[in-house]
Structures are given as structure tokens and as C-alpha cells.
């Protein structure tokens, strides 16, 4: 049956080959969060490689890879449509094309490896070239056009802490490389499949060894994450501004008092509100800060997402920032972090003035915060602030001066009840493991969570729920190899795989 399936795939030509490849790519998306149906890759990856081998020319192989990538990203990023539906009356025409259109440039990052793999002979050489080139293009995807490293292939294993512990050494890109090599083994015979199974068993054993030791005692800090569950279409309406503020204040007041009663007397409490939690300029509005401070006990500190503005001489805003603001019980601002990596089209318009439409809300683009620095807010252990999708960038989440923990505030209300928030959560888990730092995540509609420095889930709220999450702040661990050396680890592994496959597979007369 397996040979018959491969033969059927190899026989596809023309538009039928492209449709079939797109279907295989969409099938591979089921391996991503939240489904994590990883075994589908045992069909999707070999199927793609067989179709590449059967392609008559390098150009045909390129388009087969492009179709596979388009199907994969269109299916994996379908939830982008939810953001369009928030303002369907303005952007209704984007609803059917948003995800397919975004998948078009992303498909190039599969087409490139496909074209390179076609040029070497079948077997291990083609698998190595394809896997190495895939990881190289994954790394490139994190930088081109400001970068969009969402749904890197290694995230398929992020359904738990154990399968992804190797990310501490090789990063998510190293996991992507191993995933491709293992999933291609059905093309390489029984011994290769046994080797792939042994590799997965080795990774599991490595995970057990890392997770076996008892965790260090937590820091003398309690965390209280408030998940307001405010629908995006309501959040910025004028008549909803006070109700939204009241929801967060009231949700914090009783929960903070209860949390401090349960904590030792020498513990402090860090309250975390999500990205742009309340529709006010918190850092610039003393009256709103006074109301917020009324919900904070004396041993508490609030970290809240908020829009921040810089005003000119005429009292007009000259620049606006997507920020995280620390507020103490006296209503004073104790620290600010501005978002560094902005979302194209969501927070600023690329090629400003050249596009005929404006998707960014409001009359101004957001400004970047510049260099990433640890935030120091009174007695709170210094932390790295990651606002929204900044957490998806491996190797770029910590400042040069290593913080004690990471805080990720986000507003996934844009994406409704979909796969988007779960994919975002998986990226956050991987960053904790790669950096060896605990991570607290506050999401407007969920999923909010706390991970320890090994990526184990300490606590979590549900998606689309209103509530609070209470947990101790886990201790930081020693810097991991990935924290020390970063993305070059994945780059070196990619080059080694590609070069060895190219050297072994080069020949004058290419055979499928």
C-alpha cells in the first residue's frame, strides 16, 4: 500500500501535481499546535520528496515545493481571518484572501529547499540537502521583511516539555532539522526507520534527564495574571472604556488580597495585565493610575500592557508606543518597556504612503522601542519584556544583560477561538526552554500561562475564559548552550546537513 501511494504521487503531473502537493502541505499543518498530529508528517514529508524526485525539471520541482508550502501555510495560518472579521464592514473583501495571500510569500521558503533537493540524487543525499536547506530558509524567514518565524517545524513537538528539551542545546531550528530527517526515513528503508525511532527515543531520554532533577526553590515572588477576556470588537469603543478598566480593577482587587494571604510575609506579588489591557494611556494619565493603584496591596506591583505616547509642545502626540508599564501601589510609574519588533500592517504600514489602504488602527503608526533592555521595577526581579508576537523570535527575546525571567503580554483576542493562540503559546514554551528562563504569559482572552525554566507548565487558564491565574515565580536556571550561542547553532547544523548531502549526491547525470 505504501509503495502504491508513493507511485501514485510520483505519477502526478501538471496542475494535478500542484493540487496534490498543496494537499500534502495542508495535511502537514495538522502536526502543528493545537492538534499536534505529528505522524501525518510521515506521509507529508516523504510524499513531497517523492514528488520532487519525479519532477522533470528544477523549475517543476520549485513549483511543487511552492504548492506544498502554500497549502501548509494557508492551513496553518487560517486564523488570520479572525483578525479581519473584527472589522468586517471595512475589510470584508480581505476575508477570503487574507490567509491564502499571506501563504504566497511564505511558500517561497519551501520552494527554495525543494529546488535544491531536486539537484541531488535520491536517498540520504536528497533528504540531507532538503532538511539543511529547509532550516536555512527557516532562519531566513525570521529576518526577511522584518521576519515572521511563526509555526517553525520544530514546534510540532511542543505539546509538552519532555519532547522539546533538546531546544536548550540546538534551538527550535535544530528540532526542525531532526524532525525532517526522522520523518523522511520511510523512504530510506527499515534500518533508517529504526534509526529514526532510536533518535526520537534518545531525545526523549535526554528530556527525562533534564527534567529529572528537582527544581530550585521559586523566587519570593507570587504571580497573579488577570485574563479580562474582552472581545476585540468591544475593547476600543468609547462607551466601553470605563467598563473595561473596571473589569481589570475589580478582577485584581479581591484576587490580589487573597493571593497575599496565601503567600509568606516576605513575598511580593506581581500582577500582570495583558497587552493594551485598558484603553487608556496608563503611563500618561495620573487619574487612571490612581484608580488602578487602588486595587494594589502594598506588597504588589502591576505590569500592564498599555499604549504610551510622547507629546510635543502643542500637546499633540508625536510618537506612540505599544508598551509594558510597571505601576506601584502609589500609582507611580516604576518602569517602562516599549515594543521593539512591530507587526507589519497591524502596528505600522510598510512603505508608508505608497499603499492605497490603511489597516493600522488610528492615525499614527507605532514607533519601535529600539534596543531591548531588562526592565527594573523596584523590588521586582529584572525581567525581559516581550509584547505580543515578539516571543516568536528565537534567539532574539533576551537583552544582552540576562534578565531573571521573561514576561510576555499579548492580545490574542484578534484571533478568536482558533489555533492561533495555541500556536503562540507553543512558541512561548520554546523560548523558556531555549533561554533557561521562566516565562509568564498574560493574554487578553487566553491562553495565559506560567512556564518554568525547563518549559514545564506551572499553571494555565483556558481560551476564551475570564479569570485569574496564581502561581509562584519559578527560579531561573543556568544559561543554556542556545542562550550562549543562539541562532548560529541552527545555521551550522543546516550547513553541515546541506553540504554533506550535496557532496554525497552530486553527479553529472541526475537520476530521480
Amino acid at each position: 500500500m505504501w509503495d502504491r501511494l508513493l507511485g501514485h504521487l510520483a505519477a502526478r503531473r501538471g496542475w494535478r501535481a500542484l493540487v496534490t502537493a498543496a494537499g500534502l502541505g495542508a495535511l502537514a499543518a495538522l502536526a502543528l499546535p493545537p492538534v499536534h498530529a505529528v505522524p501525518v508528517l510521515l506521509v507529508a514529508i516523504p510524499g513531497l520528496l517523492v514528488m520532487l524526485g519525479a519532477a522533470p525539471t528544477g523549475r517543476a520541482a520549485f513549483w511543487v515545493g511552492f504548492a506544498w508550502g502554500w497549502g501548509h501555510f494557508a492551513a496553518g495560518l487560517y486564523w488570520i481571518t479572525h483578525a479581519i472579521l473584527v472589522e468586517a464592514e471595512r475589510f470584508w473583501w480581505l476575508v477570503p484572501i487574507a490567509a491564502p495571500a499571506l501563504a504566497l510569500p511564505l511558500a517561497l521558503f519551501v520552494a527554495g529547499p525543494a529546488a535544491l533537493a531536486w539537484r541531488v540524487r535520491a536517498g540520504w543525499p536528497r533528504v540531507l540537502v532538503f532538511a539543511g536547506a529547509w532550516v536555512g530558509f527557516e532562519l531566513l524567514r525570521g529576518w526577511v521583511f522584518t521576519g515572521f518565524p511563526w509555526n517553525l517545524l520544530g514546534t510540532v513537538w511542543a505539546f509538552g516539555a519532555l519532547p522539546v528539551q533538546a531546544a536548550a542545546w540546538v534551538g527550535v531550528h535544530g528540532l526542525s532539522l531532526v524532525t525532517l530527517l526522522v520523518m523522511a526515513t520511510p523512504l530510506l528503508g527499515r534500518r533508517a526507520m529504526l534509526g529514526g525511532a532510536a533518535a526520537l527515543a534518545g531525545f526523549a531520554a535526554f528530556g527525562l534527564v533534564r527534567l529529572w532533577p528537582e527544581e530550585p526553590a521559586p523566587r519570593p515572588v507570587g504571580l497573579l495574571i488577570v485574563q479580562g477576556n474582552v472581545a476585540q470588537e468591544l475593547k476600543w469603543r468609547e462607551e466601553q472604556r470605563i467598563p473595561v478598566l473596571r473589569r481589570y480593577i475589580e478582577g485584581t482587587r479581591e484576587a490580589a488580597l487573597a493571593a497575599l494571604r496565601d503567600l509568606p510575609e516576605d513575598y511580593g506579588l506581581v500582577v500582570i495585565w495583558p497587552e493594551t489591557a485598558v484603553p487608556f494611556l496608563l503611563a500618561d494619565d495620573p487619574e487612571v493610575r490612581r484608580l488602578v493603584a487602588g486595587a494594589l496591596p502594598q506588597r504588589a506591583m502591576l505590569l500592564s500592557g498599555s499604549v504610551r505616547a510622547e507629546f510635543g509642545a502643542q500637546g499633540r502626540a508625536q510618537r506612540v508606543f505599544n508598551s509594558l508599564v510597571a505601576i506601584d501601589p502609589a500609582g507611580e510609574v516604576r518602569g517602562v518597556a516599549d515594543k521593539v519588533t512591530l507587526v507589519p500592517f497591524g502596528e505600522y504600514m510598510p512603505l508608508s504612503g505608497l499603499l492605497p489602504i490603511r489597516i493600522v488602527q488610528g492615525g499614527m503608526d507605532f514607533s519601535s522601542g529600539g534596543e531591548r533592555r531588562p526592565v527594573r521595577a523596584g523590588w521586582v526581579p529584572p525581567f525581559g519584556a516581550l509584547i505580543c508576537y515578539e516571543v516568536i523570535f528565537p534567539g532574539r527575546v533576551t537583552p544582552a544583560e540576562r534578565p531573571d525571567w521573561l514576561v510576555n503580554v499579548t492580545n490574542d483576542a484578534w484571533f478568536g477561538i482558533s489555533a492561533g493562540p495555541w500556536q503562540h503559546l507553543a512558541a512561548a514554551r520554546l523560548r523558556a526552554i531555549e533561554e533557561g528562563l521562566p516565562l509568564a504569559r498574560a493574554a487578553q482572552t487566553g491562553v495565559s500561562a506560567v512556564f518554568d525554566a525547563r518549559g514545564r507548565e506551572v499553571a494555565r487558564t483556558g481560551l476564551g475564559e475570564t479569570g485569574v491565574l496564581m502561581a509562584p515565580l519559578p527560579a531561573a536556571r543556568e544559561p543554556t548552550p542556545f542562550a550562549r550561542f543562539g541562532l548560529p547553532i541552527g545555521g551550522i547544523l543546516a550547513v553541515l546537513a546541506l553540504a554533506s548531502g550535496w557532496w554525497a549526491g552530486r553527479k553529472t547525470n541526475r537520476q530521480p
Side-chain angles (χ1 to χ4, degrees):
M1 181 178 178
W2 176 249
D3 291 339
R4 186 183 304 173
L5 173 62
L6 296 182
H8 177 73
L9 293 174
R12 306 294 276 179
R13 291 291 184 271
W15 66 267
R16 291 180 176 84
L18 299 181
V19 170
T20 302
L24 288 173
L27 176 67
L30 292 175
L32 296 168
V35 180
H36 290 292
V38 180
V40 301
L41 296 178
L42 291 167
V43 175
I45 298 299
L48 173 58
L49 291 169
V50 165
M51 295 185 72
L52 295 179
T57 65
R59 178 179 295 181
F62 175 92
W63 287 112
V64 166
F66 184 90
W68 194 101
W70 181 85
H72 181 66
F73 289 110
L77 298 172
Y78 77 91
W79 45 266
I80 292 291
T81 306
H82 283 267
I84 306 299
L85 289 172
V86 171
E87 293 188 273
E89 68 282 0
R90 292 180 59 200
F91 302 116
W92 57 268
W93 53 276
L94 276 174
V95 170
I97 65 173
L102 178 60
L104 288 174
L106 295 176
L108 294 171
F109 294 92
V110 180
L116 287 172
W118 178 86
R119 296 183 176 277
V120 296
R121 62 181 176 84
W124 273 113
R126 180 171 295 152
V127 170
L128 285 168
V129 167
F130 180 73
W134 177 294
V135 173
F137 274 78
E138 264 197 356
L139 287 161
L140 191 63
R141 181 153 62 91
W143 294 91
V144 173
F145 302 122
T146 75
F148 188 62
W150 194 284
N151 281 347
L152 301 174
L153 193 63
T155 62
V156 301
W157 303 103
F159 51 82
L162 187 145
V164 285
Q165 288 303 304
W169 284 73
V170 298
V172 65
H173 296 293
L175 294 181
S176 294
L177 181 69
V178 173
T179 301
L180 287 164
L181 295 177
V182 170
M183 296 304 161
T185 56
L187 292 178
L188 304 173
R190 183 174 299 178
R191 293 177 63 181
M193 293 182 67
L194 290 174
L200 293 181
F203 270 67
F206 179 80
L208 285 172
V209 170
R210 288 197 90 235
L211 296 176
W212 187 269
E214 186 176 343
E215 276 294 297
R219 299 294 296 264
V221 175
L223 302 177
L224 174 65
I225 297 174
V226 182
Q227 185 169 298
N229 196 32
V230 179
Q232 186 61 33
E233 58 269 23
L234 299 178
K235 181 176 176 182
W236 294 101
R237 292 182 183 177
E238 184 64 28
E239 72 275 12
Q240 291 294 322
R241 298 177 76 203
I242 297 299
V244 169
L245 177 62
R246 184 182 298 118
R247 176 180 295 200
Y248 275 97
I249 289 175
E250 293 178 353
T252 300
R253 182 180 287 111
E254 291 186 8
L257 291 173
L260 283 174
R261 282 197 299 266
D262 295 336
L263 291 172
E265 291 187 0
D266 59 338
Y267 270 52
L269 180 69
V270 176
V271 180
I272 308 176
W273 292 358
E275 179 189 16
T276 59
V278 293
F280 293 92
L281 302 181
L282 193 56
D284 309 298
D285 194 326
E287 181 61 23
V288 173
R289 293 204 306 273
R290 184 186 65 79
L291 294 173
V292 167
L296 300 176
Q298 284 305 307
R299 287 188 286 149
M301 184 76 72
L302 171 67
L303 309 180
S304 176
S306 175
V307 175
R308 188 179 70 84
E310 289 183 353
F311 296 92
Q314 303 300 320
R316 298 180 60 182
Q318 294 183 324
R319 295 202 298 169
V320 292
F321 301 87
N322 189 352
S323 304
L324 183 67
V325 181
I327 306 293
D328 68 16
E332 297 298 322
V333 176
R334 300 299 299 273
V336 174
D338 298 321
K339 188 174 184 180
V340 175
T341 307
L342 301 176
V343 181
F345 300 101
E347 292 172 316
Y348 75 99
M349 291 299 296
L351 306 174
S352 180
L354 298 180
L355 296 175
I357 59 173
R358 181 174 180 82
I359 299 177
V360 175
Q361 292 182 326
M364 296 180 64
D365 287 0
F366 282 90
S367 296
S368 170
E371 184 181 356
R372 198 177 299 281
R373 297 182 178 89
V375 182
R376 290 176 170 81
W379 53 265
V380 177
F383 62 90
L386 301 168
I387 299 174
C388 191
Y389 94 144
E390 288 185 312
V391 79
I392 73 172
F393 291 85
R396 295 165 60 184
V397 297
T398 56
E401 183 182 350
R402 180 176 166 86
D404 288 358
W405 58 304
L406 300 173
V407 178
N408 176 216
V409 294
T410 186
N411 179 19
D412 287 351
W414 284 103
F415 311 125
I417 308 299
S418 70
W422 296 104
Q423 293 171 2
H424 207 178
L425 181 74
R429 182 198 291 271
L430 280 161
R431 300 298 86 78
I433 296 169
E434 288 169 346
E435 301 296 336
L437 293 173
L439 183 147
R441 182 175 195 265
Q444 180 84 261
T445 54
V447 180
S448 301
V450 175
F451 295 108
D452 70 14
R454 294 289 192 260
R456 285 174 288 209
E457 186 180 284
V458 178
R460 185 178 78 186
T461 62
L463 179 60
E465 297 179 357
T466 304
V468 297
L469 178 156
M470 289 181 282
L473 173 60
R477 302 298 293 264
E478 67 286 347
T480 65
F482 184 85
R484 292 189 177 98
F485 303 110
L487 295 177
I489 294 176
I492 291 170
L493 293 174
V495 169
L496 289 175
L498 195 156
S500 59
W502 193 269
W503 181 84
R506 70 193 192 286
K507 56 188 301 181
T508 304
N509 297 316
R510 193 194 70 84
Q511 296 179 1

